[in-house]
Amino acid sequence: MKIRSILGALVIASLPVMPVFAENLTPEEIKKLVDEAVEKRLQEHERREGTMERREGTATPSAEPGIGTLSDVGKERRADQQQPLSFGTSGSGRLVYAKPFVSFPKAIVGGYFDLQYRTHRKPVLETGYGDLSPGTTNGFDQQRFVPFIYADITEHVKFASELEIEHGIRAISDNEISLEFAHIDYLIDEKVNLRGGIVLIPLGKFNLLHDSPLNDLTDRPIVSRLIIPSTMAETGAGLYGTFYPGRTGKLDYEVYVTTGPCGYRDTGAPRVTETDGTKNSRQRKCLSDDGLDINNGKAVSGRVAFSPMLGIEVAGSGYFGNQSPSSYNPLSIFAVDWTLQKGPFELIGEAAWAHARNNARAIPGNTLGAGGSQLTPGSLLTGVGTLNPLGLPPERMQGFYIQGNYHFMPSFLTKLSPKRFGEGSTFTAVIRYDRVNLNLGNKGENGGELEQISFGLNYRPVEDAVIKMSYQYMPKSLNPNNDQRIHDSAFVVSVASYF
């Protein structure tokens, strides 16, 4: 009624500006003209309001029962107020639309993908054809397609997950799709919060920030692939939080109790080797169908990071858990990482040390002897999983990387094309040195002694998308197709973006 009165007043007020029509109209005709104009304006107003409601997800329910928006389809029409979904909810086919997130959308979907082309001097890229084609030197690879699903469940309850699809063009592999993490958080206070689910192990910084669009080089650091097996995640629960010591300081921590590693094959052969490091000992490699614990022990991990001021952070982290199904052979990893920023310059890096206790000795129940017999538990596994026939599987390993970044934008490019090279876009020059030794006890031929220097240049049209190119010089490398030590080099071009 209020809207109708306002519109009527506006129409009447507009009559004096139309004197030709007003002079020849009787009072009845004027009243009819006003009513028609008000009705027309009112219909336009209602039409606009309806459009707005549909945009905001609050469209008027359909007049036809069972037809309309998702929330209308799943609604219980006999109740004035929709009750939460439970086993007390009646219905059948329409129950699929009665989920709580349909009526009150909370999820956020995003992700990232990457694509690369690389060419090597040596034929190190696998083909899967064995002796028919022992390896190629170049090729394309759509390495990762990673959807994220996050949700604000309540003010205190949050959900986050990452589903990774690696080399998605392949359909014959059974391990190319996996949950990188999927956990629920209960927020108590900035100082202490609860987390449970499949959690990223806080071992080094790279394992926590491993997304392709974040990294300024295509390949992950060697130490963060073979000693800290990124991406490393396990099922468990723990705490995390932040403190602010001093006027400019910041202290972050994470600590979790999780399922633990799986360090042995069903024959008793160790999964921690001098060519693959610890990457095959992750929980995702466990032999149990459901990826459950292989022993009654649990792993403990944690990271403490201190930032005395903006631009500086130093952190220490550790992991400890029994990796044997039939004995006590713990795997322990310790790491330090650092980040230093000053203007356009960055210096980042990570170092890690691992100890696989008794990894060079036979465990009870093994079938590594002649004809599948058991070797005496505790006996040395000479020549098992090592290039040196007289060597032993690794028990200790270490490695590090150090990387320098310089961000810049040439002014002539900004003048040439402000839209492409303006605010928010940048170039980054990168240099990184990697070195690892995956079998410190092997003084002979060692397939795990790797060294690499990378020179890179990338362009970010926006911060979330990047085009990268790099040259890799590898004085110490290994051909995975024939387990031969080689001297190699490579040129790599890639693109990565969040979406």
Side-chain angles (χ1 to χ4, degrees):
M1 185 68 183
K2 184 177 180 181
I3 294 176
R4 180 179 290 273
S5 300
I6 294 173
L7 291 174
L10 291 174
V11 172
I12 293 172
S14 66
L15 290 176
V17 301
M18 297 183 293
V20 175
F21 295 104
E23 289 175 0
N24 300 322
L25 292 177
T26 65
E28 290 78 11
E29 290 174 331
I30 292 175
K31 182 178 182 302
K32 183 179 179 181
L33 179 64
V34 170
D35 288 343
E36 290 176 351
V38 168
E39 187 66 29
K40 183 178 180 180
R41 294 290 180 89
L42 192 59
Q43 289 175 359
E44 291 177 356
H45 173 76
E46 289 174 348
R47 190 161 53 248
R48 285 196 300 270
E49 288 294 311
T51 302
M52 208 47 140
E53 286 181 351
R54 286 193 297 274
R55 287 178 181 173
E56 295 174 358
T58 58
T60 304
S62 171
E64 188 175 351
I67 306 297
T69 64
L70 285 177
S71 58
D72 290 335
V73 173
K75 191 174 183 180
E76 172 58 79
R77 295 173 54 232
R78 297 174 298 178
D80 295 332
Q81 186 174 359
Q82 188 74 2
Q83 297 300 312
L85 180 66
S86 69
F87 276 97
T89 304
S90 63
S92 184
R94 296 181 184 276
L95 285 180
V96 71
Y97 298 111
K99 300 290 191 287
F101 52 79
V102 174
S103 299
F104 303 98
K106 303 169 185 176
I108 304 167
V109 178
Y112 72 88
F113 95 107
D114 60 30
L115 172 69
Q116 62 175 259
Y117 174 81
R118 59 194 310 127
T119 176
H120 286 254
R121 194 160 60 92
K122 300 291 179 67
V124 298
L125 304 180
E126 61 92 15
T127 64
Y129 282 91
D131 294 337
L132 291 177
S133 178
T136 59
T137 59
N138 64 85
F140 287 97
D141 185 13
Q142 202 277 296
Q143 189 168 11
R144 296 180 183 91
F145 175 77
V146 182
F148 291 119
I149 303 175
Y150 284 51
D152 264 321
I153 299 173
T154 72
E155 181 180 358
H156 297 284
V157 181
K158 311 297 178 184
F159 174 80
S161 67
E162 175 184 332
L163 178 66
E164 182 172 68
I165 304 172
E166 290 190 346
H167 314 286
I169 193 67
R170 300 198 297 188
I172 61 172
S173 176
D174 61 356
N175 63 353
E176 294 299 325
I177 301 177
S178 63
L179 274 173
E180 293 285 86
F181 64 83
H183 54 70
I184 192 165
D185 291 7
Y186 185 78
L187 307 183
I188 301 173
D189 183 80
E190 192 170 14
K191 297 182 178 65
V192 58
N193 303 281
L194 305 178
R195 173 171 292 171
I198 300 175
V199 299
L200 289 174
I201 300 299
L203 189 55
K205 190 171 186 176
F206 195 92
N207 193 55
L208 303 175
L209 296 175
H210 56 267
D211 299 357
S212 299
L214 287 178
N215 302 310
D216 289 306
L217 290 172
T218 301
D219 289 349
R220 297 176 174 183
I222 300 175
V223 66
S224 303
R225 288 186 280 122
L226 299 179
I227 297 181
I228 302 173
S230 302
T231 303
M232 186 180 184
E234 293 183 5
T235 310
L239 308 171
Y240 69 94
T242 302
F243 292 87
Y244 294 91
R247 189 165 54 89
T248 61
K250 182 169 175 273
L251 184 73
D252 295 281
Y253 75 92
E254 291 183 68
V255 59
Y256 301 107
V257 177
T258 55
T259 297
C262 298
Y264 291 87
R265 304 185 186 279
D266 55 1
T267 61
R271 289 180 178 271
V272 177
T273 67
E274 77 174 24
T275 55
D276 293 322
T278 66
K279 74 176 184 178
N280 289 324
S281 67
R282 292 175 289 179
Q283 185 190 352
R284 66 176 65 182
K285 301 291 185 179
C286 286
L287 294 177
S288 62
D289 291 340
D290 297 322
L292 301 179
D293 202 346
I294 62 170
N295 50 50
N296 290 320
K298 297 294 177 284
V300 178
S301 61
R303 178 175 182 265
V304 176
F306 177 63
S307 173
M309 63 184 70
L310 284 174
I312 300 176
E313 183 186 70
V314 180
S317 52
Y319 174 88
F320 184 88
N322 184 20
Q323 63 174 352
S324 171
S326 60
S327 59
Y328 185 66
N329 292 5
L331 172 66
S332 56
I333 307 173
F334 176 73
V336 295
D337 62 82
W338 58 90
T339 302
L340 305 174
Q341 296 177 313
K342 181 68 174 179
F345 296 96
E346 289 178 335
L347 184 66
I348 62 177
E350 196 163 277
W353 299 262
H355 180 204
R357 188 188 303 177
N358 294 327
N359 193 59
R361 297 183 180 274
I363 62 172
N366 73 82
T367 57
L368 298 174
S373 62
Q374 177 179 262
L375 291 179
T376 304
S379 59
L380 293 174
L381 299 175
T382 304
V384 176
T386 174
L387 296 187
N388 182 356
L390 300 178
L392 297 172
E395 291 196 350
R396 295 185 181 274
M397 54 188 70
Q398 67 181 23
F400 71 94
Y401 85 91
I402 185 167
Q403 177 176 321
N405 299 332
Y406 174 64
H407 306 285
F408 65 98
M409 175 54 69
S411 58
F412 76 91
L413 288 178
T414 303
K415 294 178 181 178
L416 182 67
S417 181
K419 291 184 178 180
R420 290 184 174 85
F421 304 105
E423 185 177 356
S425 61
T426 185
F427 285 90
T428 304
V430 189
I431 182 171
R432 187 175 78 201
Y433 179 70
D434 293 77
R435 185 162 188 170
V436 301
N437 190 329
L438 302 180
N439 196 346
L440 292 172
N442 189 352
K443 304 302 180 184
E445 186 75 359
N446 184 350
E449 194 172 358
L450 307 173
E451 186 178 16
Q452 178 174 309
I453 305 173
S454 303
F455 304 91
L457 178 67
N458 67 54
Y459 163 62
R460 294 181 182 271
V462 293
E463 189 64 30
D464 296 340
V466 59
I467 301 170
K468 316 174 194 179
M469 62 179 181
S470 62
Y471 172 75
Q472 301 172 349
Y473 173 67
M474 294 166 271
K476 294 182 180 180
S477 188
L478 181 77
N479 187 338
N481 296 308
N482 54 22
D483 286 338
Q484 290 184 354
R485 293 184 54 76
I486 58 172
H487 183 144
D488 197 12
S489 60
F491 180 71
V492 186
V493 180
S494 69
V495 60
S497 178
Y498 285 108
F499 58 82

